[in-house]
Amino acid sequence: YKLDVTGDSLFTGNMKVDGNLEVTGSLTVEVDNFTVASSALVLGDASGDTLTINSTSVSIPNDLNFDSNTLFIDAGNNRVGVGTNTPSVNLEVEDTGTASTLIDIISKNDNAGADAGLRFYHGASPALKGAVGYNAGSGNIFLTHGSYDNEHISIDSNGRVGIGTTSPTQLLEIQGAESETYQYPLVLRNPYNNETALDFGVGLKLMFDDNSQNKWAAIAYEANAAWGNAGDLQFYVDGYTNASPVMTMRNGGKVGIGV
């Protein structure tokens, strides 16, 4: 049998379709519940078709997979996978190809205050704990702890790194807090400690970039007592060919040059 309907029609009760249902034009369904019992449901017949859902929410109780793992929603664990259907964390991005795996954060606003970045919140009443991003005003890449506007580490457009400053003038510039107290903005530490070994230390090494290890000098603090309870300040010049320090400042205050 064939049913041809022209104009508006009202169906009350249940309507069962065995086989194919083909609608040419527009179909508007206004029901409390609409169930399609099918192992496969195809909406649209061309790549340019658009599916619009005019609703405040969409509830999907089971997993949802778009385009063979391009986007996967794990309903049981409330996780999202991009490129994977087994996300192990809240959001997991995976790529098995040979190209780089990247996540782009794009701000198309040219205003100086339109930064782009990631912010991190934590706690039962989530509070801002830190951020990493791009400062559109200064052009710096930054890392913060706590307040979003308090940049602790900054990298400017010339590759210079500032710690405690957003305007470094050298490749690495460290600025301590503004205070009348004595400060150590940079501390170098060797955590090794031994009851008998006296050949460990920590220091700064200065090198020429000639693609070799032949030209360097150093300033080092080296242990001279068990457990590193005391040490000497040693100065090395041309350390590759001269393993002995050219000057030593003993912890007792004596200075030796060439010995």
Side-chain angles (χ1 to χ4, degrees):
Y1 299 97
K2 181 178 180 181
L3 175 63
D4 290 327
V5 179
T6 302
D8 297 336
S9 299
L10 175 63
F11 293 88
T12 302
N14 298 324
M15 182 176 69
K16 182 179 181 181
V17 178
D18 291 324
N20 298 325
L21 173 64
E22 181 177 342
V23 178
T24 301
S26 300
L27 173 65
T28 300
V29 180
E30 297 180 0
V31 295
D32 293 331
N33 296 288
F34 180 69
T35 302
V36 178
S38 173
S39 58
L41 174 63
V42 178
L43 301 175
D45 61 356
S47 60
D49 293 346
T50 300
L51 174 63
T52 302
I53 301 175
N54 291 322
S55 175
T56 57
S57 64
V58 176
S59 178
I60 300 175
N62 301 310
D63 294 346
L64 188 61
N65 196 324
F66 293 89
D67 191 31
S68 300
N69 300 338
T70 297
L71 176 65
F72 180 81
I73 300 176
D74 181 347
N77 296 300
N78 293 326
R79 297 170 180 166
V80 175
V82 176
T84 176
N85 61 0
T86 56
S88 58
V89 293
N90 290 348
L91 173 62
E92 182 173 331
V93 179
E94 180 179 312
D95 186 6
T96 58
T98 58
S100 301
T101 301
L102 302 172
I103 298 177
D104 290 337
I105 299 176
I106 301 173
S107 173
K108 292 187 176 181
N109 192 329
D110 292 332
N111 293 332
D115 299 345
L118 294 172
R119 296 191 296 184
F120 308 98
Y121 291 79
H122 188 265
S125 298
L128 180 61
K129 298 300 182 181
V132 57
Y134 171 75
N135 187 317
S138 64
N140 291 350
I141 298 295
F142 64 85
L143 175 67
T144 74
H145 187 283
S147 171
Y148 180 81
D149 298 322
N150 188 14
E151 299 182 17
H152 291 85
I153 299 177
S154 299
I155 304 175
D156 70 11
S157 58
N158 295 308
R160 294 175 296 205
V161 179
I163 300 177
T165 175
T166 59
S167 54
T169 59
Q170 303 299 323
L171 288 179
L172 174 62
E173 183 172 333
I174 301 174
Q175 179 175 304
E178 185 176 351
S179 171
E180 293 182 358
T181 60
Y182 199 80
Q183 298 184 39
Y184 298 91
L186 175 64
V187 176
L188 305 178
R189 181 175 181 177
N190 182 350
Y192 176 79
N193 216 338
N194 188 278
E195 184 178 6
T196 58
L198 303 179
D199 57 351
F200 63 93
V202 64
L204 288 173
K205 193 173 186 180
L206 313 174
M207 298 183 63
F208 289 128
D209 187 10
D210 63 348
N211 298 319
S212 75
Q213 295 282 336
N214 295 331
K215 301 177 180 65
W216 62 268
I219 302 174
Y221 181 65
E222 300 177 359
N224 68 7
W227 296 111
N229 292 326
D232 300 328
L233 190 62
Q234 309 272 32
F235 295 81
Y236 295 86
V237 178
D238 292 333
Y240 185 82
T241 56
N242 182 13
S244 300
V246 298
M247 185 172 73
T248 299
M249 299 180 65
R250 297 292 184 186
N251 66 317
K254 296 181 180 180
V255 176
I257 298 177
V259 294

